[in-house]
Amino acid sequence: MTTPNTAPEAVGTGMDLLRFATAGSVDDGKSTLIGRLLYDSKAIFEDQLEAVEAVSEGRGYEYTDLALLTDGLRSEREQGITIDVAYRYFATPKRKFIIADTPGHVQYTRNMVTGASTADLGLVLVDARKGLSEQSRRHAVLLSLLRVPHLVLAVNKMDLVDYDEATFTRIHAEFTAFATKLNIPDLTMIPISALKGDNVVSRSENMPWYEGPSLMHHLENVHVASDRDLVSARLPVQYVIRPKSDDFHDFRGYAGQIAGGVMKPGDEVIVLPSGFTSKISSIELFDREIAEAFPPMSVTVRLTDDIDVSRGDMIARVNNAPKPSQDIDAMVCWMTNKPLRQGQKLAVKHTTRTARALVKDIQYRLDINTLHRDSDVGELALNEIGRVRLRTTAPLLCDPYARNRTTGSFILVDEVTGVTVGAGMINDVA
């Protein structure tokens, strides 16, 4: 029996995958840390390392600059900063990882929101010499706002403060006090030196006073399976499969990625927005039937009845279905130069469903440095975040973002250019 706090047994579904986003101020050593993780886990090719060594030598460095492994844009390498979101992939015997290396500058807030929106864990770097900065606090606020369930504060460059315990203790106490204002379910702090490798992959002999795990050990063992909503079954239909072949003459399946809950054959379900009910006859994964499906598995569900189901519909439990709504209250991060204003019309994409939306009201703008709510605001500018009310032309089948990060989020699209101009997190539906 599956319980709300226990993830079902994995059925070869990649449940051993951890997505984490990194953030830090300029020169906190974020790209160096990622380079160190890739290097020590042997996730880079020999020719990549040779190229980085050659560039480092050509610049007169006395060490191999591992940050060059991640700063892929020429402007990033020249300035020594991160601008775009860079995704990196590596694996250890225990787990697979996807790193979203996000920029720290305030003008790239939209890039950080993009990279952290799907993260299971947020990794914020702090320079041990400088302590907490305004950017460090802002990164923590954004990760809290995006409901990233696990946060690691890595106090970097401990080698430059002679591995001083008092320095780490001071930063630890300061950030703990700040974190009480935020919604951070799981907070871990680790003293490291990305350049020297201390506490990155293995425990450091230079910090015997630190009794916690190394960063890699924590990343390999942090439990994320139960972070997802395993109570409210949700399957946004992405594609209706009708082979129309002699072998599968009557086959009708509904393909999509499970966004919440656990689905099993025999479950009574409802299809929204039509309201038709049926039962699940089988669940298929690739070329075999499985006994249950749960997030983030991509499956094909077959029903006992031939009812009208199409892309954009949602399959849910009869007694625990989302409420279709056209009035949406959400926190929106604005991502383009032209401001968001009341009365503006946009396309909204929510799971596999698309509709048009009218901006009814901008209730306030959130100062992510101070958490102050500015209600005297008529627009949201680039990289600003605010609470917005929308009215959609078709009902969205959504949940609050706090309950389900998949069915509780959406993107806003400019209808003329097709460019994504905003990302939203649903507070409530009416």
Side-chain angles (χ1 to χ4, degrees):
M1 179 70 71
T2 301
T3 63
N5 296 317
T6 305
E9 291 297 319
V11 192
T13 60
M15 291 293 282
D16 58 343
L17 173 68
L18 177 74
R19 296 174 178 266
F20 68 96
T22 62
S25 303
V26 178
D27 295 331
D28 278 350
K30 178 168 54 67
S31 295
T32 302
L33 174 60
I34 295 175
R36 170 65 64 181
L37 287 170
L38 295 174
Y39 175 75
D40 286 354
S41 62
K42 297 178 173 57
I44 58 175
F45 294 109
E46 196 171 311
D47 59 336
Q48 287 179 295
L49 181 60
E50 289 173 355
V52 169
E53 289 174 340
V55 173
S56 300
E57 185 179 347
R59 293 183 178 181
Y61 297 162
E62 296 179 354
Y63 58 89
T64 300
D65 187 2
L66 296 175
L68 297 174
L69 289 168
T70 57
D71 286 339
L73 298 179
R74 176 177 294 180
S75 56
E76 293 178 321
R77 294 194 176 198
E78 289 174 348
Q79 299 178 60
I81 64 173
T82 301
I83 297 174
D84 200 5
V85 181
Y87 292 95
R88 295 291 181 267
Y89 308 86
F90 73 101
T92 68
K94 288 189 176 182
R95 182 172 258 171
K96 297 176 182 177
F97 300 92
I98 298 178
I99 311 173
D101 183 14
T102 66
H105 294 66
V106 64
Q107 64 263 39
Y108 303 122
T109 296
R110 59 179 178 177
N111 303 59
M112 181 176 174
V113 169
T114 301
S117 61
T118 58
D120 303 305
L121 180 145
L123 177 60
V124 178
L125 266 76
V126 172
D127 189 326
R129 300 168 301 172
K130 302 175 183 177
L132 289 182
S133 64
E134 182 178 290
Q135 284 195 45
S136 304
R137 292 182 172 87
R138 181 165 51 82
H139 298 151
V141 170
L142 283 171
L143 290 169
S144 172
L145 190 65
L146 290 164
R147 300 279 177 169
V148 177
H150 306 276
L151 192 148
V152 174
L153 185 77
V155 182
N156 192 24
K157 303 191 179 183
M158 289 297 295
D159 55 308
L160 299 182
V161 295
D162 297 324
Y163 303 101
D164 181 42
E165 180 181 4
T167 299
F168 176 72
T169 301
R170 174 177 53 79
I171 296 173
H172 188 290
E174 187 178 354
F175 191 81
T176 300
F178 175 71
T180 58
K181 306 173 186 177
L182 308 177
N183 181 19
I184 302 175
D186 176 36
L187 174 61
T188 302
M189 300 190 213
I190 304 175
I192 67 168
S193 170
L195 185 64
K196 305 289 187 180
D198 294 284
N199 280 339
V200 177
V201 171
S202 56
R203 290 282 301 275
S204 170
E205 296 179 357
N206 295 314
M207 291 178 276
W209 45 264
Y210 173 69
E211 299 178 350
S214 68
L215 177 60
M216 180 65 83
H217 183 274
H218 181 74
L219 295 176
E220 286 182 328
N221 292 279
V222 63
H223 184 67
V224 297
S226 58
D227 294 334
R228 300 183 177 93
D229 179 10
L230 296 172
V231 178
S232 305
R234 303 284 187 265
L235 175 63
V237 177
Q238 183 176 351
Y239 189 70
V240 179
I241 299 177
R242 292 291 307 277
K244 297 183 180 179
S245 65
D246 292 338
D247 293 337
F248 302 96
H249 185 72
D250 296 319
F251 187 97
R252 184 193 295 262
Y254 309 107
Q257 185 177 49
I258 301 290
V262 180
M263 289 186 168
K264 300 179 181 179
D267 285 350
E268 189 173 357
V269 294
I270 185 171
V271 177
L272 297 172
S274 66
F276 291 123
T277 60
S278 184
K279 286 187 177 182
I280 297 177
S281 62
S282 66
I283 302 175
E284 299 184 7
L285 179 69
F286 302 116
D287 58 350
R288 72 184 194 277
E289 292 190 9
I290 57 176
E292 58 184 16
F294 46 87
M297 295 171 64
S298 294
V299 298
T300 299
V301 169
R302 299 185 67 188
L303 304 179
T304 56
D305 303 287
D306 287 337
I307 56 181
D308 184 16
V309 183
S310 59
R311 175 182 170 86
D313 290 354
M314 183 176 289
I315 300 174
R317 289 275 180 81
V318 171
N319 297 320
N320 187 9
K323 179 184 177 183
S325 177
Q326 292 178 257
D327 292 298
I328 308 298
D329 183 313
M331 296 297 294
V332 170
C333 175
W334 193 242
M335 298 180 170
T336 192
N337 290 313
K338 184 179 178 181
L340 175 68
R341 296 189 175 96
Q342 183 177 343
Q344 197 165 336
K345 295 178 181 178
L346 299 158
V348 57
K349 188 177 185 304
H350 171 260
T351 63
T352 58
R353 195 171 183 80
T354 303
R356 299 181 69 198
L358 173 70
V359 179
K360 291 178 63 178
D361 183 31
I362 300 176
Q363 296 176 280
Y364 62 79
R365 177 176 53 223
L366 180 68
D367 186 326
I368 55 177
N369 294 317
T370 64
L371 300 181
H372 173 70
R373 299 177 179 182
D374 182 8
S375 56
D376 185 21
V377 58
E379 63 182 34
L380 288 183
L382 173 65
N383 290 315
E384 290 186 337
I385 296 174
R387 189 162 184 168
V388 177
R389 288 193 299 171
L390 303 173
R391 173 72 178 180
T392 61
T393 56
L396 301 187
L397 312 167
C398 50
D399 298 290
Y401 186 79
R403 184 186 306 164
N404 190 312
R405 292 170 70 194
T406 301
T407 59
S409 60
F410 60 85
I411 60 172
L412 297 170
V413 179
D414 186 300
E415 292 185 288
V416 177
T417 63
V419 173
T420 299
V421 292
M425 298 156 282
I426 297 171
N427 295 314
D428 199 7
V429 294

